Amino acid sequence: DDVAGDLVQVERLKHRETPEFRLEKRYIHKLGHSVWVDLTVSQMWSPGDQGDYHIAVAQDITSRKRMEEDLRANEHRLRSILERLPVGLCLVQHDGRIAFMNQRYIDICGYTLEEVPDSDTWWTRAYPDPVERNTIRQMWRASDELAADGSGIIPSAEYTILCKDGQRRPVEVSGVF
């Protein structure tokens, strides 16, 4: 299955469009199983030389590929679990970008990841009044700082947010670092 991509790269090498190429591909071992390799192919001729020689270095990366596949499978299982939780869940990265929100979270507040891609946007939507937003956000930051200095757990507290449908809804919110 990988041969077509290889041949394109070899032609580029032969026509001196590139001095080398690197790709990950599968070989079939003589015992019949696949072996993943990191293949680097470099030209082996000098400028003006008409030679058509190259060197290929193949490094076995089968173990790494298996680990990557295991990680993908584990991430899929974890996302499946998170989607089925009966509580709303929102994962916020350190830079404020929202990495994930489960369907229950969207059902509660109405905002999708596309509508609130970061925490600043969420705060603005949930608390459109700047004075209220500032007050509530200061309370959250205080809890956040205590958690950072202690157990890493932001204790639950009740907040009233403005949902996408225009309703104000009380929610219980907690967090973990």
Side-chain angles (χ1 to χ4, degrees):
D1 295 344
D2 306 337
V3 173
D6 291 359
L7 295 177
V8 168
Q9 293 296 337
V10 168
E11 286 302 312
R12 289 186 67 222
L13 190 72
K14 282 182 180 179
H15 291 96
R16 300 176 190 231
E17 295 171 17
T18 183
E20 70 178 15
F21 67 88
R22 181 176 177 194
L23 48 89
E24 294 179 358
K25 63 179 278 119
R26 291 166 294 146
Y27 286 141
I28 304 298
H29 191 276
K30 67 181 178 181
L31 297 177
H33 63 275
S34 293
V35 177
W36 277 96
V37 297
D38 181 325
L39 177 67
T40 303
V41 180
S42 302
Q43 57 179 272
M44 296 300 297
W45 55 81
S46 301
D49 188 5
Q50 295 300 316
D52 187 19
Y53 302 102
H54 61 271
I55 185 168
V57 178
Q59 179 181 2
D60 186 343
I61 58 170
T62 305
S63 296
R64 188 190 86 203
K65 284 294 195 179
R66 283 189 190 126
M67 284 189 295
E68 289 173 356
E69 182 57 37
D70 289 345
L71 283 172
R72 275 191 294 278
N74 287 338
E75 180 181 2
H76 178 72
R77 278 190 291 275
L78 178 59
R79 283 186 179 272
S80 181
I81 291 168
L82 296 177
E83 275 296 339
R84 287 168 177 76
L85 289 175
V87 296
L89 179 74
C90 178
L91 301 177
V92 181
Q93 297 175 338
H94 290 289
D95 64 1
R97 287 182 301 152
I98 297 176
F100 175 81
M101 56 178 65
N102 68 0
Q103 187 58 49
R104 183 66 184 129
Y105 179 89
I106 295 168
D107 293 343
I108 291 168
C109 67
Y111 302 117
T112 65
L113 188 58
E114 291 77 26
E115 295 167 320
V116 288
D118 55 64
S119 59
D120 287 336
T121 305
W122 184 88
W123 282 102
T124 301
R125 297 272 178 108
Y127 296 98
D129 176 59
V131 174
E132 181 186 22
R133 179 173 55 246
N134 187 43
T135 301
I136 300 295
R137 206 160 184 187
Q138 283 179 352
M139 289 171 39
W140 178 259
R141 282 188 184 127
S143 295
D144 189 43
E145 288 172 12
L146 285 174
D149 294 339
S151 66
I153 297 172
I154 301 169
S156 63
E158 189 172 302
Y159 298 88
T160 301
I161 64 170
L162 179 67
C163 298
K164 182 179 177 179
D165 64 6
Q167 293 183 9
R168 294 189 62 81
R169 181 173 290 139
V171 294
E172 186 177 332
V173 180
S174 62
V176 178
F177 277 90

